[in-house]
Amino acid sequence: MIELNDDLLTTKPQQLAKSLKDDGKTTPSQIRKFYDDLILLQMKEKNSNMSEEDFKKKILP
């Protein structure tokens, strides 16, 4: 199972968003969508005590 930690949910997405912004091909709308999806994953991770199987079905896809 993937270990959800602060680095995975904060630092890594910030680095990825910056690289996407700097590539000149990614639109602000795409970056907002990425950020919205990240926030949704953070909320799910904080508010759940799900099993590994549930994690694979609900979070990973």
Side-chain angles (χ1 to χ4, degrees):
M1 177 154 88
I2 295 175
E3 175 87 23
L4 291 179
N5 58 41
D6 289 339
D7 186 51
L8 184 62
L9 295 175
T10 56
T11 306
K12 295 291 184 186
Q14 287 173 350
Q15 291 170 346
L16 180 58
K18 284 180 185 178
S19 70
L20 290 174
K21 178 182 159 259
D22 294 338
D23 77 357
K25 298 176 186 174
T26 308
T27 66
S29 295
Q30 290 170 317
I31 293 173
R32 276 193 299 278
K33 172 74 171 121
F34 172 81
Y35 179 74
D36 290 344
D37 289 345
L38 172 65
I39 296 301
L40 181 63
L41 287 175
Q42 286 176 327
M43 289 174 24
K44 285 182 180 180
E45 189 267 336
K46 286 181 181 178
N47 296 326
S48 69
N49 292 325
M50 63 178 59
S51 69
E52 184 173 344
E53 189 63 32
D54 286 342
F55 177 84
K56 288 179 182 179
K57 288 180 182 176
K58 296 178 182 177
I59 302 293
L60 289 182

